[in-house]
Amino acid sequence: MRTTARLLTGSALVVASIGLGAQASYAGDPGSLEIHPRTVAPGDSVTVSTQACGKDGRGVGDAGSLGAGEFKLRPGTHKDFAVGEFTVPAHTRSGTYGISVFCKNGKEATGDVTVRGHHAPSGHVKTGVGGSVGPDTTQIAAGVAVLSAAAVGGVLLLRRRASGTQGG
């Protein structure tokens, strides 16, 4: 009886917490600002959209926190969304910055954009030359000699075992 009560109580708590979380994370929340992409590098373009401005709504966005200034929002391809765009300035440092939108209908929407560092890893990893600068005939000859000696030694050992003449 206790196990059934615990199971039902636990299930009820899980369902309640999922239900509460789902409402808060709904992308179409009129007060939310959808930002794409959320993580950018200096020089990247960022698109923002919101339903806060209403159908065929307009507004002004503020990306001044990262130095991009104001940008306009206009009705997007989906008439329920107002859409705007700005470019992250080249001098912007890494961090998370707040973006605000002020709609003509008096509503406001906010969101965050994260700027990653100026020098994102790209290309080959520089780990040193490791002896691969150029062909060194001495090292190649030494390697061939070692491999040959190992092969000859292995063949002799196998022949010796096969003939049954093991010393010792």
Side-chain angles (χ1 to χ4, degrees):
M1 187 71 162
R2 276 188 161 186
T3 305
T4 305
R6 286 183 185 168
L7 180 64
L8 291 175
T9 303
S11 298
L13 288 174
V14 169
V15 169
S17 65
I18 289 173
L20 293 175
Q23 184 179 5
S25 65
Y26 172 63
D29 182 17
S32 72
L33 186 63
E34 294 180 29
I35 300 174
H36 183 74
R38 282 207 178 272
T39 302
V40 296
D44 287 354
S45 285
V46 178
T47 302
V48 298
S49 61
T50 185
Q51 286 184 314
C53 297
K55 187 174 179 104
D56 296 325
R58 297 181 182 274
V60 175
D62 180 15
S65 63
L66 52 84
E70 290 186 348
F71 57 96
K72 294 185 188 257
L73 276 87
R74 294 186 173 88
T77 54
H78 299 292
K79 297 294 181 185
D80 292 343
F81 285 89
V83 180
E85 185 175 272
F86 65 90
T87 301
V88 179
H91 61 80
T92 306
R93 294 184 179 202
S94 297
T96 301
Y97 297 88
I99 308 298
S100 300
V101 169
F102 304 98
C103 300
K104 290 197 175 192
N105 64 4
K107 294 185 179 177
E108 182 179 340
T110 59
D112 292 329
V113 64
T114 301
V115 178
R116 65 177 183 266
H118 288 277
H119 303 291
S122 64
H124 299 287
V125 178
K126 297 178 182 176
T127 59
V129 291
S132 63
V133 172
D136 185 355
T137 53
T138 306
Q139 288 182 351
I140 293 172
V144 169
V146 168
L147 289 174
S148 298
V152 169
V155 168
L156 289 176
L157 181 65
L158 289 175
R159 286 187 69 202
R160 191 170 170 186
R161 283 194 174 178
S163 67
T165 57
Q166 295 178 1

